[in-house]
Amino acid sequence: SESPLHMMFTPQELEMLICGEKEFDFNELENSTEYDGGFSKETNCVRWFWEAVHSMDLEDKRKLLQFTTGSDRIPVGGLAKLKLIIAKNGPDSDRLPSAHTCFNVLLLPEYSSKEKMGELLMKAIKECKGFGML
């Protein structure tokens, strides 16, 4: 028997449902992100985070999505539909950022410099693998 999916969706719609959106508009994500634990959009660490994100290549942006959400795919409707929360995770330290992927929560210590935040963020997204580090 033939699947009824072809009657419900066009091939393009079905591909979007399975694979997610293809446009990585991180401005949408920045505009829809919420903040917690004392962070706001104006907090230095948060501003440095977004500067780092916007300077990433596509592969690193995918790794960031994987790190924060557990998936490197964009939800249907674009990144504005992804409800990311960036929460303060203590004062400045040498700890890596961490995430609660089930809740799309990124935990950032309040790093003291843009360079430190960028370095530790890149280390976290490039060296993490699932529930452990490589």
Side-chain angles (χ1 to χ4, degrees), residues 43-59:
T43 305
N44 281 337
C45 191
V46 170
R47 289 193 351 251
W48 299 332
F49 169 79
W50 288 115
E51 287 175 24
V53 169
H54 293 303
S55 70
M56 290 178 184
D57 62 24
L58 183 58
E59 180 182 341

Side-chain angles (χ1 to χ4, degrees), residues 62-118:
R62 280 187 177 275
K63 288 178 182 178
L64 176 66
L65 283 177
Q66 180 73 43
F67 180 76
T68 56
T69 69
S71 173
D72 67 350
R73 310 226 181 207
I74 298 172
V76 174
L79 285 172
K81 300 295 183 190
L82 180 65
K83 295 301 173 198
L84 179 67
I85 298 170
I86 299 177
K88 182 177 175 180
N89 191 21
D92 181 39
S93 75
D94 290 329
R95 288 181 297 132
L96 295 173
S98 58
H100 296 296
T101 56
C102 292
F103 304 104
N104 300 336
V105 175
L106 175 64
L107 301 168
L108 284 178
E110 193 167 17
Y111 296 116
S112 59
S113 73
K114 179 179 177 177
E115 295 75 20
K116 184 177 191 178
M117 194 282 311

